[in-house]
Structures are given as structure tokens and as C-alpha cells.
Amino acid sequence: MKELTQENAPVLEALEKLKQMRIVPFDVPGHKRGRGNKILTDFLGEKCLSVDVNSMKPLDNLCHPVSVIRDAEDLAAKAFGAEHAFFMVGGTTSSVQAMILTVCKRGDKIILPRNVHRSVINAMILCGAVPVYINPQMDKMLGISLGMGIADVKKAILENPDAKAVFVNNPTYYGICSNLKEIIKTAHAGNMFVLADEAHGTHFYFSDKLPTAAMRAGADMAAVSLHKSGGSLTQSSMLFINDKISEGYVRQIINLTQTTSGSYLLMASLDISRRNLALSGRKVIDSVIDLVEYARGEINNIGDYYAYSREKINGDSIYDFDITKLSVYTRSIGLAGIEVYDLLRDEYDIQTEFGDLANLLAYVSIGDRPRDMERLVSALSEIRRIYKKDSSGMLEAEYISPKVVLPPQDAFYTDREEAVLLDESVGRICTEFVMCYPPGIPILAPGELVTAQVLEYIHYAMEKGCQMTGPEDMKLKHLNVMAEK
């Protein structure tokens, strides 16, 4: 048998062979290669439906891979500089949760920034881990959370020597990176694992012009969203580990929650995207960098907008910056980022990634074209000309330090819960999530105290058009809190 190289795509190759075998399907899925659902086949295409198949011997099994999936994962591990890779079909949410469930059990502490994705806190609800939050520093003007300062990480480790792990965003949604190598060195000196959420960092592995990638820096585990900047299908992700983590145990953890009916469409997309990145990623990522740098300059020349970049680096809480991130400060034109986001979509047919109370993020990756960037720049210029207004009176964004009263699991599963009017929840302990999505970073999480400042932020965000997700009452007129004794 010939040795596999990065030019191979084992899952793709196995599916191509399957198509040539003309097998009669007496297994699931029930659409039987699309014949049983004509409308779906017409919409997605026969090529797609013909490979929407179930696990079988020639195609291996995601829960216990021993052949083509195993080969594809091995190639991915080599491409990303890891000891082992796992194909994940539940999004990077499932990858993040697998990391935390691997290293933490009930009562175990984990050190992490508060501006984590909801999947992190969900994992703590599932396993009973206790968060030790490092409050990220704040850029007062931009109104965004930054990375973790080294002094703050060292202090948390010193005060919590029994913590099992340190969790790092690499990068944040806005492109900000902490001093990853120093955090890893410090955590390992304290016998703690380092887990990296690289949902937005796939491209770091294929360019020397970007911040350090977690596995190359020595992290123990990293969750990577290939579907975000790597070109694979939505919901496909990879989890990477180093040689200090048991591959077999991680597989057991993954199989606690991941489907036994892994989608071959998702797995094939991971396999193909890994091959594309391994063979031509550096060239493609260079073109993305050039495209964003051009757009950043053009946007800054419009006036009032501020598309920020490496000039924000301060050597600590902003140790590095992902220059592929087109993050734009909008408050100077008197509009919240979410308002510019809505105008771009509703008036100019441009869908950006998200807007918050002061910023807009246009996500640029391997599929973008120069003419699309020109259209975005032109639309932003026109929005400034038509909609600019006085920015006084806008809420000053600032980091709201959470007051954690209970571990997330204890609050979420409490049998002492009641729903109260949102405006009457101040001083109560929240038992559910409230967040703007995207990016899905909780404003309130289970176990945290509701304060007047938090309530003001929620009302202002709703008024500006942010979509609030998480609570049981989807209109957020009521909030679930701990019942008073």
C-alpha cells in the first residue's frame, strides 16, 4: 500500500469509489441517494444526495475509525502540526465541549477569559467544572474585550494551583490574540493543560504572516473551525491534540455527545479543505491578507470609520492581531455596528458577519473576490454620507465584570427556579443565558448576578437591534432566576 501524502483525500476517494459500485441501498438514509425525495434532490443536486450515505465498511465509521476516516485524520494532524486530529460534525461547539469534558470533571477549576463562546459555559454545565474567570482588559474606545494579560494569568494560576487547565481564545472574534507561548509555558509549569478555541484561527496554520497557531505553540488541545476560514461546509470542525492527551480517551468523550450518524458530506468537506490548505494554503491566505489590507486602507480613507489592525498591539492584552479580520469601528458616524450591519443587508444586499454596539465585522476568507470588497467599501461610504448623525448620547461600552455566585451547573440545574420580569431581576442569580448572537458570548450566564449595569446593556443592545438568544422566554420579557428562600 502506497504512503499517503497531502495530495490524497481518503474520504473523498472512498466516496468516489462508492459511486462507481452501483450498490443497491437497503440502509439509511431513507431518501435512498435522493430517489425518495425529488424536491430535495432538485434543490441540492443528485451529486450531493448520492454521497449522503451512512457508515459502511468501505467508508469507515466516525465513532471508531480504522481505515479511510483514520487516514484522513492522520493527514489532517500532519498538516496542522498535531499528534492527532478528530473530524467533528457537530461544529466547533462540539470540539470545544470535548476539550473541556476531557480535562475537567465535577468540581474541577478551569481558568479562562469571560469573553468565551457559550459552548465553553455549556461544557461546564455538562461536566460541573468551576470557572475561574480572568476579566479581559478593555479597549474603552472600541468597546471590546481584549486578550488575557500575562500577569493576570500568572495571578490566577498562583491563586488556583489546583486548576486543571487554562482556556485561551486564539484569536477573539475581533482578531485579538494573547501571548499564547508565554501562557502555555506558564500553565505547563503549573501542571495545567492549555486548551485553545481557534474557531477563527484555521488560517494561522498556513501563514507566517499571522499570529502563532496553538498546536505549533505547544497547546495541548485546539478546536478549529475549518468551515469559517478554511472553506469546508458549515458545521464541520476539527479537534487537535498533542502527545500528552490520550487519543482513545478523547474519542470516548467525543462519542458521549457526537452523533453516531456522521455526515459524509461534512467529512468529505473537511478532507477536501485540508488538502486545499496543505497544498495551496499559503498562497491563498496571502491573497486574503492583501485583500483585507487594501480594504482596510480604503475604509480608513472614507473618514470617521476606523478599521483597526496591528497598530493596536500593546505587547500584552493585545499581543498580536489577525490582519485578515476586517473589524470596523462605526460609532464615529453615530451608528452602532449592528445598525450598519442592518443597513448593509437591507439596503445594499451585503451580509456581514455581525455588528455589536460599536463595531462591524466583515469576515473575509478564501472565497472572497476584489469586486465584492469594492462593493462593501462603496456601501460603507454611502452609509456614512446618508445616515451619519451625532454620536453623543450613545452608550459608552465598557467591560462588565461578572459576579459569579454559583458554578454554572448548579445554577442551570437548580430546582429552585422562577421566572421574573426582566426589569425586576436586578440582584437575583440568573439560571440561564442571555447573549447577542453572533458572536454568542454571554452577557449573562447561569450562576451570575443580574446587576443594573447588565440590565442597561441588554436594553440598549435590544433597542439597537441586536438579536438576543439563550433565554427560555425568547422575547426576553422574563428571565429565569434562582427562587428566593
Side-chain angles (χ1 to χ4, degrees):
M1 181 178 173
K2 70 171 186 176
E3 185 178 346
L4 295 175
T5 70
Q6 292 297 333
E7 293 185 354
N8 289 105
V11 175
L12 171 66
E13 291 159 15
L15 287 169
E16 293 284 15
K17 284 182 185 176
L18 181 76
K19 288 169 74 172
Q20 296 166 12
M21 293 168 69
R22 301 181 67 184
I23 289 176
V24 179
F26 284 104
D27 62 350
V28 296
H31 61 67
K32 305 291 179 172
R33 314 295 194 264
R35 293 193 298 272
N37 195 336
K38 186 178 183 303
I39 294 174
L40 184 64
T41 304
D42 289 346
F43 179 64
L44 293 179
E46 188 275 332
K47 283 187 177 180
C48 175
L49 272 291
S50 70
V51 291
D52 180 37
V53 293
N54 195 31
S55 296
M56 59 186 78
K57 279 191 176 181
L59 296 181
D60 207 355
N61 188 306
L62 184 60
C63 295
H64 189 82
V66 294
S67 59
V68 295
I69 296 174
R70 175 77 188 200
D71 289 343
E73 289 181 339
D74 287 347
L75 287 173
K78 288 185 176 71
F80 283 80
E83 183 69 19
H84 191 73
F86 301 86
F87 279 16
M88 306 293 288
V89 295
T92 301
T93 287
S94 63
S95 299
V96 166
Q97 291 175 350
M99 290 197 299
I100 294 173
L101 293 174
T102 295
V103 301
C104 291
K105 298 180 176 64
R106 181 169 172 78
D108 287 344
K109 294 178 184 175
I110 180 169
I111 296 168
L112 68 166
R114 177 56 177 77
N115 57 324
V116 291
H117 189 261
R118 68 172 295 176
S119 59
V120 177
I121 300 174
N122 283 345
M124 291 189 283
I125 289 172
L126 291 174
C127 72
V130 178
V132 175
Y133 287 127
I134 294 176
N135 291 339
Q137 295 172 38
M138 187 86 177
D139 186 300
K140 287 284 288 182
M141 186 190 90
L142 301 179
I144 62 173
S145 299
L146 307 177
M148 294 191 291
I150 290 298
D152 293 332
V153 173
K154 289 181 176 178
K155 181 173 182 285
I157 289 174
L158 189 66
E159 293 175 353
N160 301 274
D162 54 339
K164 299 296 183 182
V166 177
F167 187 97
V168 187
N169 293 318
N170 192 53
T172 68
Y173 223 134
Y174 300 91
I176 291 165
C177 296
S178 303
N179 187 345
L180 188 59
K181 287 185 178 178
E182 189 64 25
I183 289 172
I184 291 170
K185 178 183 172 184
T186 305
H188 284 173
N191 293 315
M192 298 176 192
F193 294 110
V194 176
L195 316 179
D197 181 348
E198 289 190 306
H200 301 278
T202 303
H203 47 297
F204 287 6
Y205 289 87
F206 303 96
S207 175
D208 54 9
K209 299 176 182 178
L210 297 173
T212 304
M215 296 313 294
R216 302 196 190 286
D220 298 290
M221 305 181 80
V224 179
S225 284
L226 259 76
H227 73 89
K228 288 188 170 72
S229 61
S232 65
L233 289 176
T234 295
Q235 201 176 307
S236 59
S237 172
M238 286 192 195
L239 173 62
F240 298 103
I241 64 172
N242 69 13
D243 58 1
K244 296 188 184 72
I245 304 287
S246 166
E247 175 198 336
Y249 183 65
V250 174
R251 182 78 65 189
Q252 286 183 319
I253 292 293
I254 290 170
N255 287 339
L256 289 176
T257 56
Q258 184 161 259
T259 178
T260 55
S261 303
S263 166
Y264 279 87
L265 298 175
L266 298 181
M267 285 187 274
S269 80
L270 287 171
D271 203 19
I272 294 166
S273 298
R274 180 272 313 155
R275 183 176 68 178
N276 290 346
L277 290 168
L279 298 180
S280 57
R282 292 187 178 277
K283 179 182 176 182
V284 173
I285 302 304
D286 274 353
S287 68
V288 172
I289 291 170
D290 291 344
L291 190 58
V292 175
E293 292 287 15
Y294 165 76
R296 191 177 282 119
E298 291 295 298
I299 291 168
N300 285 332
N301 285 336
I302 293 172
D304 294 319
Y305 292 115
Y306 174 33
Y308 39 99
S309 186
R310 281 189 167 142
E311 73 280 354
K312 300 297 293 182
I313 291 173
N314 60 23
D316 191 29
S317 58
I318 310 178
Y319 185 77
D320 208 345
F321 186 83
D322 175 9
I323 53 175
T324 72
K325 290 287 184 294
L326 189 54
S327 304
V328 184
Y329 177 69
T330 65
R331 273 177 54 118
S332 300
I333 65 167
L335 296 175
I338 185 64
E339 293 175 304
V340 177
Y341 168 97
D342 286 339
L343 285 168
L344 283 169
R345 185 192 60 247
D346 297 342
E347 303 297 329
Y348 298 91
D349 295 328
I350 295 173
Q351 180 63 56
T352 51
E353 176 66 9
F354 80 94
D356 63 17
L357 298 188
N359 303 271
L360 175 81
L361 176 64
Y363 209 100
V364 186
S365 64
I366 63 176
D368 287 294
R369 304 170 297 181
R371 68 172 181 260
D372 298 326
M373 197 62 82
E374 295 285 2
R375 185 171 163 186
L376 173 64
V377 172
S378 176
L380 287 173
S381 179
E382 197 166 293
I383 286 172
R384 175 183 178 269
R385 180 175 60 82
I386 297 172
Y387 297 100
K388 181 180 176 181
K389 59 185 179 182
D390 183 12
S391 63
S392 61
M394 297 180 75
L395 182 70
E396 285 290 332
E398 58 182 286
Y399 178 74
I400 303 174
S401 180
K403 293 179 171 55
V404 181
V405 183
L406 290 171
Q409 187 183 66
D410 291 355
F412 187 83
Y413 285 117
T414 182
D415 54 7
R416 293 195 302 110
E417 182 179 73
E418 64 178 346
V420 299
L421 289 170
L422 179 65
D423 289 335
E424 295 176 6
S425 64
V426 173
R428 306 293 292 273
I429 301 169
C430 186
T431 60
E432 58 183 353
F433 289 97
V434 178
M435 70 202 90
C436 295
Y437 187 85
I441 297 167
I443 300 166
L444 274 173
E448 295 178 0
L449 192 70
V450 184
T451 64
Q453 190 181 19
V454 166
L455 212 58
E456 180 188 19
Y457 184 94
I458 290 172
H459 278 304
Y460 186 78
M462 291 169 69
E463 177 189 317
K464 290 297 182 183
C466 290
Q467 182 183 3
M468 290 296 172
T469 65
E472 186 176 334
D473 178 0
M474 295 179 69
K475 295 182 179 177
L476 197 49
K477 292 182 178 177
H478 296 82
L479 185 69
N480 289 344
V481 298
M482 292 279 288
E484 294 179 328
K485 292 181 180 177

